[in-house]
Amino acid sequence: MTKIKKIPIILIIILFFSSCSEKIYNIDKAKINYSLSQKFENDFLIGAAINEDQILKKDEKSLSIVQKEHNTITPENSLKWMFIEPNPGNFNFDVSDKYVEYGLKNNMHIVGHALVWHSQLADYMNNVKDSTTMYYHIKNHINTLAGRYKGKINTWDVVNEALNEDGSLRQSVFFKTIGEGYIEEAFKLAEKADPKADLVYNDYNLCNSEKREGAINLVKNLQSKNIKINGVGIQAHWQLNTPSLEEIEKSIIAFSQLGLKVMFTELDISVLPNPWELEGAEINQNFKKFEGDAKMNPYPKALPDFMEEKLAKRYEDIFRLFLKHRDKISRITFWGVTDKHSWLNDWPIKGRTNYPLLFDRNYQSKKAYQSIFDLTK
Ligand code: XIL
């Protein structure tokens, strides 16, 4: 009698433990195999900007994050004019070739950043005074780059940051020499050089109403002339409180109503003080007078828990909105891999310790990562 009773009890115990180990096994498996790009694979691409050290494989720890978590890459600096064509017609493809090779090898969506941009331009370009010379340089630059990586670079930021904050066109050297037509010319040249690549207009502060209107006008102008443009890149160098979710949503809807893919191309969220109300990402702004000011760099050792929470909540809110509009958004790229390498440690004030990304200085995922990962659709 007692023997018969014991058998089912033992059986129940065995079954209980085997189901537990099954659960534990599954959780571990999820941790090992599951990544952000897999999680959002039916929603949008998930990317990172990678720097020269990463491209040259000098930072394997970052690369293992990139390979696991991302399915698209952008070169943080390596394809910019000052590095790739430092003298007229004198191209340096050493790093860019390796960048493209890395993307191809890992089956990633490869972004080219950026063909026509007033910052990080070669010196000779800033000294061009006439439209013929300027057009010649732009044509040669676009033909060479988009031609060399034809069928390999999937998306080009053709024109970067052409707008002022009020939505008018920036008085860049391109504008001063060629006039507003330089934007049309750049897109036409890019299409001709690689007809299959997606072509993007990219800028910061595109969730501010005046600048958003400026971008809409810029796109409509191209479309009215039947010039190909596939997407708008909202850079998304953001703060904890701005821009508001409402303004971000307005931009997603407005750009997608133009028939374009919406991309968040340079996402990072600064957690450091910004008392001068600086918004956006004009890289030539810097605030030397604040360098070394402890008030401007309140977390030099570590980010306190309450700030980690704030950052996680902000990322969660933003990604919830992205998911709501997953039919309109094609790509979300973070501007960097870990906090250690973020440009926001040195911009707009040099030498600060910022925490804008999903991975910390020890290459570990942060609460912000988890808050996005845990979102249900
Ligand atoms: C930044 C890079 O991250 C820095 O390393 C570099 O010193 C300056 O440029 N908008 C853009 C990016 O389109 O190319 C900029 O990248 C950040 C702002």
Side-chain angles (χ1 to χ4, degrees), residues 339-359:
D339 289 342
K340 187 174 171 181
H341 306 107
S342 166
W343 77 302
L344 292 177
N345 294 311
D346 287 306
W347 184 90
I349 302 171
K350 276 213 167 87
R352 298 198 296 176
T353 309
N354 211 334
Y355 302 82
L357 296 167
L358 302 186
F359 291 87

Side-chain angles (χ1 to χ4, degrees), residues 166-183:
D166 66 359
S168 61
L169 286 177
R170 186 191 285 272
Q171 301 282 307
S172 66
V173 69
F174 314 114
F175 183 91
K176 283 186 189 145
T177 50
I178 297 183
E180 62 182 276
Y182 86 87
I183 299 175

Side-chain angles (χ1 to χ4, degrees), residues 123-187:
D123 285 344
Y124 67 89
M125 287 294 288
N126 287 315
N127 298 323
V128 174
K129 299 278 181 287
D130 66 286
S131 68
T132 315
T133 313
M134 180 53 85
Y135 182 72
Y136 171 81
H137 286 315
I138 291 180
K139 184 175 174 189
N140 194 36
H141 190 77
I142 294 181
N143 281 349
T144 307
L145 288 180
R148 184 176 183 91
Y149 299 120
K150 184 175 173 174
K152 296 178 176 170
I153 285 193
N154 306 92
T155 298
W156 276 106
D157 288 340
V158 179
V159 175
N160 196 24
E161 302 180 356
L163 293 166
N164 293 316
E165 295 312 292
D166 66 359
S168 61
L169 286 177
R170 186 191 285 272
Q171 301 282 307
S172 66
V173 69
F174 314 114
F175 183 91
K176 283 186 189 145
T177 50
I178 297 183
E180 62 182 276
Y182 86 87
I183 299 175
E184 297 159 29
E185 295 307 330
F187 275 87

Side-chain angles (χ1 to χ4, degrees), residues 76-77 80 113 117 120 160-161 235 237 266 281 283 335 343:
E76 183 175 3
N77 286 301
K80 291 174 182 173
H113 172 83
W117 185 28
Q120 294 182 288
N160 196 24
E161 302 180 356
Q235 286 186 6
H237 296 293
E266 306 185 13
I283 69 162
W335 203 243
W343 77 302

Side-chain angles (χ1 to χ4, degrees), residues 240 271 298-299 302-314 367:
L240 284 172
V271 299
Y299 317 116
L303 194 63
D305 271 354
F306 79 97
M307 288 298 288
E308 287 283 3
E309 297 285 351
K310 266 195 190 175
L311 182 69
K313 177 74 173 53
R314 174 76 164 145
K367 278 201 177 94

